């Protein structure tokens, strides 16, 4: 249900505590005391049928006896009483409940199921059960049993663990870090991580979002929310259970390589979420992101009074991919003028162990004014010569002046005072300077900022377009899989696999299926006639790893050798695996490419995130080598290239010594094709190409396995869905004929359409742009268009129309609300092509799409002067009303 009524729960105007206890050591009593200590400003009442007074505060026997209707009820009552409490609150009109109680159970007849049903009946939202509670400093609400109330600030924390949240509060109190909100979600019977990501992404008081995750329930919902949030502010996650592996035994190499934590890592990467390994790093992120903005680049200047610690900082910076800021002659000259002759003369700027506050200030002022760095790290090792506290005070004063002078964007300054006492930490924290106990922590903090900026840049990049020549034969490929399923098979035969790959323009060595030795010899003769040698492999759906039973013989050159090898393979398989069904012999041409690289790629199924794409170094020892990377499909060229670059084998794809580089993008294109195949044919459960040979001429699959099964519906949608990131909806491509015989092609918008949109906007008059955007539009930036073109198809849709000359002529879009009931539309046509029925056709198409997605209402805002649009809406059946707050705007609404 996303953000529906969440503001009422997280910023309520009135609160009631149901189940407060008179026992001093109890959850109900702790929550009561926390709410009172926080001095919540709105009406607050206690409900307990067994006590008229608790802790000096009057209580009533039921919610109905309160003098007000509480927006939020906080429940600490026994599990069996909770469904009736939720029902009472719903009848009164409460917006939601925070359930701290544990032990509600699961399944039919449980208090949890009954509570959920009661909440749904009244449209209430539920947080919990079995959670620590919520802490919202901005509205003075501490509805939790945490030991402390956090200070107000700009960080949001969403945690599946109450203990982690409590620990963050204690840490923040020591460091002077504040929060816009802390929400622990417990068992997530309603409000989940994705809902809260949506809420805090749009919260103006929140600068960054921190997550502690144990498991994701709805992967598609999480991915949509995380991708949207990461575009507007940093999202940092620490995920427990890093060493856990998938529970299911893998039947293919790709399945074995797709461990559970590796898939989570791929999901966070795809969403633009920064993953950290432990709580210490999460604290570092909070320290950094809560105080300063991201730097423009990754060049760090280091100012220190100790050469050793400066060198350690540079080493860590290099390890993490940062750049020690180069020093220009001008900067060196300025530093020479204010520093003693014995300073280091380079970065790190070592100003010597006797450096006092004025020397620090002089050097820092030069570095802040140097355009050759993107941020400054100030290090201090305490000595008996100069006061560390005075140096800290001087640094904070100088940084304050710098920020005052550069209000629009001040250069980030970080600090690490080794062995600093709490007074120094307080001084730096009070000035908003991120500070850390060691140089290692400080450099990591800087690189977290760098990674966030890179993530935002990556999310707005325009991916290269796929070659127009790629046109898979989807119907033929589907028929191969359907035939296998109708035969009751779980695995495709080798010849079927060759044809399946061929449907997607993936080359495979010539492959034949021989039922017996003599047929194998006959197929081998055909291969010999082409001048190639022969490979024989055992063909059995029960023997997946052929080499394990000696079921592969290479480089056969004569029919006699083929006959002997085939007989030997069959005999050995029957001896070693007597229970296996032996179907015959696979006969293949022997591919000898001395300088080819052996790769592996394929798709596997993850129980949480659905289909994942795996790439890495191939061969028989792939699990031992374990050089692999994972990505969530669908893929484009940019994502495929990134997947490849995250492996060690990617370096071998480049030229070295007398080995030419692998053909450009040949490997990346196969990854994209496999991802597209998985989208087109959800019956493919696992696919494994190993090895895939790659060299300067291209790529060739040598061996492959494909597991099939009935299509799964892992995620919500109108069709079988196994992608956590909703795939490009090719089924909505259309060819339309308008009223004057004008033919147009319409398809869903793609990220690579950004240049097309820029060209289209050149043909729209300023007047029409004002009607569409409600304001004059002088320019369209890359960032603005990227937001329009990079759609999350799980939440939004846009159709673009082209004429027969392939020029864009119009676009219509729809964006759903948080509960996926209402969609808001917008439409724009080329100004010189209006009046030909294009707008009508696009509106009908978006209405059809909304119906197919289960939306109940389409709405829009239209300027009153836009009489053409208003008339079209009237003819399409929209209800038109004047906007009660904007006299120049009409609200249009169509019930579906």
């Amino acid at each position: 249900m996303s953000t529906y009524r969440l503001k009422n729960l997280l910023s309520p105007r009135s609160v009631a505590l149901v189940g407060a206890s008179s026992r001093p050591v109890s959850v109900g009593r702790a929550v009561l005391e926390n709410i009172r200590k926080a001095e919540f400003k709105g009406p607050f009442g206690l409900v307990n049928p067994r006590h008229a007074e608790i802790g000096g505060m009057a209580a009533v026997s039921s919610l109905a006896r309160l003098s007000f209707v509480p927006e939020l009820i906080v429940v600490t009552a026994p599990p069996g009483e909770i469904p009736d409490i939720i029902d009472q609150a719903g009848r009164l009109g409460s917006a939601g409940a925070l359930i701290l109680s544990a032990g509600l159970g699961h399944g039919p007849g449980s208090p949890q199921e009954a509570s959920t049903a009661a909440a749904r009946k009244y449209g209430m939202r539920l947080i919990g059960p079995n959670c620590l509670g919520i802490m919202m400093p901005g509205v003075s609400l501490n509805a939790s049993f945490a030991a402390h109330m956090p200070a107000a600030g700009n960080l949001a924390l969403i945690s599946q663990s109450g203990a982690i949240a409590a620990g963050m509060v204690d840490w923040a109190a020591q460091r002077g870090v504040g929060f816009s909100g802390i929400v622990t979600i417990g068992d997530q019977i309603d409000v989940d991580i994705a809902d809260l990501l949506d809420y805090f992404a749009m919260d103006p008081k929140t600068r960054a979002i921190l997550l502690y995750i144990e498991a994701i329930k709805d992967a598609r919902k999480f991915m949509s929310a995380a991708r949207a949030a990461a575009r507007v502010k940093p999202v940092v996650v620490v995920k427990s259970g890093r060493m856990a592996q998938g529970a299911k035994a893998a039947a293919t190499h790709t399945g074995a390589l797709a461990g559970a934590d590796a898939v989570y890592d791929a999901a966070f990467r795809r969403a633009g979420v920064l993953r950290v390994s432990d709580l210490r790093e999460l604290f570092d992120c909070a320290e950094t992101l809560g105080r300063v903005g991201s730097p423009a680049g990754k060049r760090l200047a280091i100012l220190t009074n100790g050469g050793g610690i400066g060198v350690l900082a540079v080493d860590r910076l290099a390890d993490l991919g940062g750049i020690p800021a180069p020093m220009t002659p001008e900067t060196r000259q300025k530093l020479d003028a204010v520093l003693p002759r014995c300073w280091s003369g380079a970065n790190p700027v070592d100003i010597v162990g006797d450096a006092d506050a004025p020397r620090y200030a002089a050097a820092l002022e030069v570095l802040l004014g140097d355009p050759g760095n993107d941020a400054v790290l100030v290090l201090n090792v305490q000595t008996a010569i100069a006061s560390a506290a005075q140096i800290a005070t001087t640094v904070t004063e100088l940084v304050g002046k710098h920020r005052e002078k550069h209000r629009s964007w001040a250069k980030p300054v970080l600090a690490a005072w080794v062995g600093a006492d709490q007074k120094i930490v307080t001084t730096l924290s009070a000035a908003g300077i991120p500070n850390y106990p060691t140089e290692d922590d400080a450099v990591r903090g800087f690189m977290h900022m760098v990674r966030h900026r890179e993530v935002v840049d990556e999310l707005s990049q325009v991916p290269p377009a796929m070659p127009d020549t790629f046109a898979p034969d989807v119907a033929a490929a589907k028929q191969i899989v359907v035939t296998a399923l109708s035969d009751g098979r779980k695995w495709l035969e080798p010849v079927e696999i060759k044809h399946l790959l061929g449907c997607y323009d993936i080359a495979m060595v010539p492959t034949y299926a021989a039922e017996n030795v003599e047929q194998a010899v006959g197929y081998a003769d055909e291969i010999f006639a082409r001048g190639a040698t022969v490979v024989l492999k055992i063909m059995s759906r029960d023997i997946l790893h052929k080499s394990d039973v000696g079921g592969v013989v290479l480089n056969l050159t004569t029919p006699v050798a083929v006959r002997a090898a085939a007989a030997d393979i069959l005999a050995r398989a029957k001896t070693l695996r007597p229970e296996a069904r032996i179907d015959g012999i696979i006969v293949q041409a022997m591919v000898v490419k001395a300088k080819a690289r052996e790769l592996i790629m394929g798709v596997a199924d993850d129980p949480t995130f659905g289909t994942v794409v795996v790439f890495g170094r191939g061969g028989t020892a792939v699990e031992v080598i374990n050089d692999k990377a994972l990505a969530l499909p669908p893929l484009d060229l940019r994502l495929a290239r990134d997947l490849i670059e995250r492996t060690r084998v990617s370096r071998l794809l480049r030229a070295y010594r007398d080995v030419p580089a692998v053909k450009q993008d040949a490997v990346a294109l196969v990854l994209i094709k496999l991802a597209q195949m998985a989208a087109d044919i959800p019956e493919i459960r696992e696919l494994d190409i190993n090895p895939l040979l790659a060299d300067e001429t291209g790529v060739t699959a040598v061996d492959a396995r494909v597991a099939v099964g009935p299509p799964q519906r892992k995620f919500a949608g109108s069709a079988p869905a196994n992608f956590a990131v909703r795939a490009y909806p090719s089924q909505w491509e259309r060819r339309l004929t308008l009223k004057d015989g004008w033919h147009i092609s319409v398809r869903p918008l793609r990220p690579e359409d950004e240049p097309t949109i820029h060209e289209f906007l050149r043909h729209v008059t300023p007047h029409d742009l004002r009607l569409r955007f409600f304001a004059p539009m002088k320019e369209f930036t890359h960032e603005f268009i990227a937001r329009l073109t990079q759609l999350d198809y799980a939440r939004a849709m846009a159709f673009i129309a082209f004429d027969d000359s392939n020029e864009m002529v119009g676009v219509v879009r729809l964006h759903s609300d948080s509960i996926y009931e209402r969609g808001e539309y917008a439409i724009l046509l080329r100004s010189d092509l209006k009046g030909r029925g294009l707008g009508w056709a696009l509106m009908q198409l978006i209405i059809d799409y909304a119906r197919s997605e289960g939306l109940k209402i389409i709405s829009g805002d239209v300027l009153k002067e836009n009489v053409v649009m208003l008339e079209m809406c009237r003819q399409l059946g929209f209800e038109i009303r004047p906007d009660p707050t904007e006299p120049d705007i009409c609200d249009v609404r169509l019930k579906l």
Side-chain angles (χ1 to χ4, degrees), residues 376-391:
V376 180
L377 169 59
V378 183
L379 303 175
N380 178 262
V381 180
Q382 298 189 66
T383 69
I385 300 173
S387 166
Q390 182 58 51
I391 293 170

PDB file of all heavy atoms in Angstrom, residues 376-391:
ATOM      1  N   VAL A 376      38.610  17.841   1.517  1.00  0.00           N
ATOM      2  CA  VAL A 376      39.810  17.911   2.346  1.00  0.00           C
ATOM      3  C   VAL A 376      39.595  17.063   3.594  1.00  0.00           C
ATOM      4  O   VAL A 376      38.550  17.159   4.262  1.00  0.00           O
ATOM      5  CB  VAL A 376      40.136  19.363   2.751  1.00  0.00           C
ATOM      6  CG1 VAL A 376      41.398  19.405   3.609  1.00  0.00           C
ATOM      7  CG2 VAL A 376      40.306  20.246   1.518  1.00  0.00           C
ATOM      8  N   LEU A 377      40.578  16.218   3.890  1.00  0.00           N
ATOM      9  CA  LEU A 377      40.593  15.455   5.135  1.00  0.00           C
ATOM     10  C   LEU A 377      41.663  16.042   6.052  1.00  0.00           C
ATOM     11  O   LEU A 377      42.837  16.107   5.683  1.00  0.00           O
ATOM     12  CB  LEU A 377      40.885  13.979   4.849  1.00  0.00           C
ATOM     13  CG  LEU A 377      41.194  13.086   6.060  1.00  0.00           C
ATOM     14  CD1 LEU A 377      40.032  13.081   7.044  1.00  0.00           C
ATOM     15  CD2 LEU A 377      41.536  11.664   5.614  1.00  0.00           C
ATOM     16  N   VAL A 378      41.249  16.460   7.231  1.00  0.00           N
ATOM     17  CA  VAL A 378      42.179  17.029   8.213  1.00  0.00           C
ATOM     18  C   VAL A 378      42.464  15.966   9.269  1.00  0.00           C
ATOM     19  O   VAL A 378      41.548  15.473   9.945  1.00  0.00           O
ATOM     20  CB  VAL A 378      41.592  18.288   8.872  1.00  0.00           C
ATOM     21  CG1 VAL A 378      42.621  18.896   9.841  1.00  0.00           C
ATOM     22  CG2 VAL A 378      41.195  19.312   7.822  1.00  0.00           C
ATOM     23  N   LEU A 379      43.735  15.603   9.418  1.00  0.00           N
ATOM     24  CA  LEU A 379      44.168  14.610  10.400  1.00  0.00           C
ATOM     25  C   LEU A 379      44.991  15.284  11.492  1.00  0.00           C
ATOM     26  O   LEU A 379      45.736  16.225  11.217  1.00  0.00           O
ATOM     27  CB  LEU A 379      45.024  13.527   9.730  1.00  0.00           C
ATOM     28  CG  LEU A 379      44.391  12.753   8.566  1.00  0.00           C
ATOM     29  CD1 LEU A 379      45.429  11.818   7.944  1.00  0.00           C
ATOM     30  CD2 LEU A 379      43.184  11.957   9.040  1.00  0.00           C
ATOM     31  N   ASN A 380      44.837  14.778  12.714  1.00  0.00           N
ATOM     32  CA  ASN A 380      45.645  15.325  13.806  1.00  0.00           C
ATOM     33  C   ASN A 380      46.048  14.203  14.751  1.00  0.00           C
ATOM     34  O   ASN A 380      45.218  13.414  15.192  1.00  0.00           O
ATOM     35  CB  ASN A 380      44.867  16.386  14.588  1.00  0.00           C
ATOM     36  CG  ASN A 380      45.681  16.932  15.754  1.00  0.00           C
ATOM     37  OD1 ASN A 380      45.521  16.513  16.897  1.00  0.00           O
ATOM     38  ND2 ASN A 380      46.566  17.888  15.459  1.00  0.00           N
ATOM     39  N   VAL A 381      47.342  14.147  14.992  1.00  0.00           N
ATOM     40  CA  VAL A 381      47.875  13.249  16.018  1.00  0.00           C
ATOM     41  C   VAL A 381      48.300  14.130  17.182  1.00  0.00           C
ATOM     42  O   VAL A 381      49.128  15.033  17.018  1.00  0.00           O
ATOM     43  CB  VAL A 381      49.079  12.455  15.473  1.00  0.00           C
ATOM     44  CG1 VAL A 381      49.630  11.529  16.566  1.00  0.00           C
ATOM     45  CG2 VAL A 381      48.690  11.663  14.244  1.00  0.00           C
ATOM     46  N   GLN A 382      47.733  13.893  18.340  1.00  0.00           N
ATOM     47  CA  GLN A 382      47.974  14.779  19.485  1.00  0.00           C
ATOM     48  C   GLN A 382      49.438  14.724  19.937  1.00  0.00           C
ATOM     49  O   GLN A 382      50.046  13.657  19.994  1.00  0.00           O
ATOM     50  CB  GLN A 382      47.050  14.390  20.639  1.00  0.00           C
ATOM     51  CG  GLN A 382      45.571  14.540  20.285  1.00  0.00           C
ATOM     52  CD  GLN A 382      44.669  14.357  21.489  1.00  0.00           C
ATOM     53  OE1 GLN A 382      44.692  15.169  22.414  1.00  0.00           O
ATOM     54  NE2 GLN A 382      43.890  13.290  21.482  1.00  0.00           N
ATOM     55  N   THR A 383      49.977  15.905  20.254  1.00  0.00           N
ATOM     56  CA  THR A 383      51.349  16.033  20.758  1.00  0.00           C
ATOM     57  C   THR A 383      51.337  16.930  21.990  1.00  0.00           C
ATOM     58  O   THR A 383      50.334  17.595  22.289  1.00  0.00           O
ATOM     59  CB  THR A 383      52.279  16.644  19.693  1.00  0.00           C
ATOM     60  OG1 THR A 383      51.915  18.028  19.504  1.00  0.00           O
ATOM     61  CG2 THR A 383      52.179  15.892  18.371  1.00  0.00           C
ATOM     62  N   ALA A 384      52.446  16.959  22.670  1.00  0.00           N
ATOM     63  CA  ALA A 384      52.580  17.830  23.851  1.00  0.00           C
ATOM     64  C   ALA A 384      52.923  19.257  23.461  1.00  0.00           C
ATOM     65  O   ALA A 384      52.971  20.149  24.312  1.00  0.00           O
ATOM     66  CB  ALA A 384      53.644  17.262  24.792  1.00  0.00           C
ATOM     67  N   ILE A 385      53.148  19.476  22.161  1.00  0.00           N
ATOM     68  CA  ILE A 385      53.594  20.799  21.704  1.00  0.00           C
ATOM     69  C   ILE A 385      52.417  21.723  21.414  1.00  0.00           C
ATOM     70  O   ILE A 385      52.429  22.904  21.773  1.00  0.00           O
ATOM     71  CB  ILE A 385      54.481  20.646  20.450  1.00  0.00           C
ATOM     72  CG1 ILE A 385      55.713  19.798  20.783  1.00  0.00           C
ATOM     73  CG2 ILE A 385      54.885  22.005  19.889  1.00  0.00           C
ATOM     74  CD1 ILE A 385      56.561  19.459  19.572  1.00  0.00           C
ATOM     75  N   ALA A 386      51.393  21.189  20.737  1.00  0.00           N
ATOM     76  CA  ALA A 386      50.259  22.017  20.321  1.00  0.00           C
ATOM     77  C   ALA A 386      48.965  21.430  20.858  1.00  0.00           C
ATOM     78  O   ALA A 386      48.807  20.213  20.965  1.00  0.00           O
ATOM     79  CB  ALA A 386      50.207  22.109  18.795  1.00  0.00           C
ATOM     80  N   SER A 387      48.022  22.296  21.198  1.00  0.00           N
ATOM     81  CA  SER A 387      46.740  21.872  21.767  1.00  0.00           C
ATOM     82  C   SER A 387      45.841  21.310  20.667  1.00  0.00           C
ATOM     83  O   SER A 387      45.454  22.034  19.734  1.00  0.00           O
ATOM     84  CB  SER A 387      46.037  23.055  22.443  1.00  0.00           C
ATOM     85  OG  SER A 387      44.690  22.742  22.707  1.00  0.00           O
ATOM     86  N   ALA A 388      45.494  20.020  20.773  1.00  0.00           N
ATOM     87  CA  ALA A 388      44.597  19.404  19.791  1.00  0.00           C
ATOM     88  C   ALA A 388      43.217  20.050  19.826  1.00  0.00           C
ATOM     89  O   ALA A 388      42.554  20.213  18.791  1.00  0.00           O
ATOM     90  CB  ALA A 388      44.489  17.900  20.043  1.00  0.00           C
ATOM     91  N   ALA A 389      42.792  20.433  21.034  1.00  0.00           N
ATOM     92  CA  ALA A 389      41.478  21.066  21.171  1.00  0.00           C
ATOM     93  C   ALA A 389      41.451  22.433  20.485  1.00  0.00           C
ATOM     94  O   ALA A 389      40.476  22.796  19.810  1.00  0.00           O
ATOM     95  CB  ALA A 389      41.107  21.204  22.642  1.00  0.00           C
ATOM     96  N   GLN A 390      42.525  23.193  20.637  1.00  0.00           N
ATOM     97  CA  GLN A 390      42.587  24.499  19.995  1.00  0.00           C
ATOM     98  C   GLN A 390      42.636  24.366  18.487  1.00  0.00           C
ATOM     99  O   GLN A 390      42.011  25.144  17.756  1.00  0.00           O
ATOM    100  CB  GLN A 390      43.823  25.264  20.496  1.00  0.00           C
ATOM    101  CG  GLN A 390      43.945  26.678  19.919  1.00  0.00           C
ATOM    102  CD  GLN A 390      42.728  27.535  20.213  1.00  0.00           C
ATOM    103  OE1 GLN A 390      42.291  27.636  21.355  1.00  0.00           O
ATOM    104  NE2 GLN A 390      42.151  28.151  19.184  1.00  0.00           N
ATOM    105  N   ILE A 391      43.367  23.367  17.990  1.00  0.00           N
ATOM    106  CA  ILE A 391      43.418  23.130  16.543  1.00  0.00           C
ATOM    107  C   ILE A 391      42.017  22.793  16.022  1.00  0.00           C
ATOM    108  O   ILE A 391      41.592  23.307  14.983  1.00  0.00           O
ATOM    109  CB  ILE A 391      44.419  22.005  16.220  1.00  0.00           C
ATOM    110  CG1 ILE A 391      45.849  22.459  16.547  1.00  0.00           C
ATOM    111  CG2 ILE A 391      44.317  21.604  14.745  1.00  0.00           C
ATOM    112  CD1 ILE A 391      46.868  21.332  16.491  1.00  0.00           C
TER     113      ILE A 391
END
